Amino acid sequence: MRGTMVLVRFLQRLFRTVFQANPAASPETLLMPASIEAPDGAVPIRLRPLIEEDEYEWSQVRAVNTDWLGPWESTDPEHGANLTFAQWIARQRAEECAGTGIIFAIEYQGVIVGQISLGAVSFGALRSGIVGYWVDHRYAGHGFAPLAVTMLADWAMFAPVGPHLHRLGIDILPSNHRSRRVVEKVQATYEGVRRAYMYINGVWEDHESYAIVAQDAPEGFTKRLLERSNSTPPQ
């Protein structure tokens, strides 16, 4: 009972602000929070939906991270037409309405410092999704990515108005050591290698597959991350 009350209080702090309504909502529509705030004791980042007005700032962040993110960039092997930023945002709203995926900006001190997404969302017996993320190289090494992953997981799995998913997957290139540190910090379980899983820079690349499930952290993934960080001795 005490653990349940701790989780309820934690979620009440985590999910402040009003949810955005969608007149075309269906039972599987993802009700997007205006923002998800980091709890007390964590680095004060927040997650929020991207909007058209973010185009200049988002584009500037991506531009200064071209070399940093380039080795891990996925592309469409069929070379579909590039979307404008406004078209990309419109597609995000459509995917939220369909219940298939979401994208959040990661903000720190009012500045976009990265992005985190939840895609390939399935309901029914699976109730699962796949997480992707990136962080501006100027803010790397401060724990933003693992914290964003756990905040997203707590919303996706435990929030009263969230999608109530059961499983989140994270797939990384074997050579992406920074991303491996993220899955280690969130204590995701290694599940094996997916052969030729994603098209990266002109090649179908194998990916290491990791996952977290709701019963891994019944009191919340962010709570577990912070408790683990506080108990880890200095290196």
Side-chain angles (χ1 to χ4, degrees):
M1 177 62 71
R2 182 177 181 276
T4 300
M5 292 305 298
V6 169
L7 177 58
V8 169
R9 289 195 295 269
F10 171 73
L11 292 174
Q12 286 173 339
R13 293 197 304 270
L14 189 61
F15 309 114
R16 295 171 177 144
T17 66
V18 178
F19 283 76
Q20 299 172 337
N22 190 320
S26 73
E28 294 181 350
T29 292
L30 299 172
L31 299 177
M32 297 295 290
S35 67
I36 301 173
E37 310 287 337
D40 295 340
V43 178
I45 65 170
R46 74 168 184 152
L47 312 182
R48 65 162 178 83
L50 285 160
I51 58 177
E52 284 190 40
E53 288 75 12
D54 292 319
E55 179 174 6
Y56 178 77
E57 182 181 1
W58 184 92
S59 299
Q60 291 295 107
V61 174
R62 290 290 301 189
V64 300
N65 283 278
T66 299
D67 294 338
W68 173 256
L69 299 175
W72 329 115
E73 287 283 73
S74 60
T75 54
D76 180 358
E78 299 300 323
H79 306 295
N82 291 330
L83 297 177
T84 65
F85 191 84
Q87 290 170 333
W88 182 53
I89 295 297
R91 188 171 71 177
Q92 289 180 39
R93 300 291 92 86
E95 290 178 352
E96 292 159 12
C97 188
T100 56
I102 57 173
I103 298 176
F104 289 110
I106 304 172
E107 274 193 346
Y108 175 65
Q109 297 181 339
V111 175
I112 295 175
V113 297
Q115 178 180 299
I116 187 164
S117 63
L118 176 61
V121 175
S122 297
F123 292 96
L126 289 177
R127 305 208 72 87
S128 64
I130 297 174
V131 177
Y133 48 81
W134 58 264
V135 171
D136 186 337
H137 75 274
R138 295 168 294 184
Y139 294 88
H142 297 288
F144 290 1
L147 179 57
V149 169
T150 62
M151 290 166 61
L152 177 66
D154 286 336
W155 171 77
M157 293 181 176
F158 304 126
V161 289
H164 299 159
L165 300 184
H166 169 72
R167 181 185 190 278
L168 299 182
I170 304 174
D171 301 295
I172 68 172
L173 282 167
S175 57
N176 192 342
H177 304 300
R178 295 191 301 269
S179 206
R180 185 176 292 109
R181 286 292 297 135
V182 173
V183 296
E184 289 171 352
K185 288 180 179 179
V186 303
Q187 300 181 66
T189 299
Y190 174 67
E191 296 188 327
V193 174
R194 293 175 179 259
R195 294 177 53 245
Y197 176 68
M198 193 177 297
Y199 198 69
I200 308 290
N201 291 321
V203 179
W204 286 103
E205 295 279 9
D206 294 350
H207 279 62
E208 294 178 357
S209 183
Y210 296 81
I212 55 177
V213 295
Q215 60 260 39
D216 289 343
E219 294 189 3
F221 287 92
T222 304
K223 182 175 184 293
R224 184 176 73 168
L225 174 71
L226 296 179
E227 289 176 345
R228 186 168 186 257
S229 298
N230 292 336
S231 65
T232 302
Q235 300 297 315

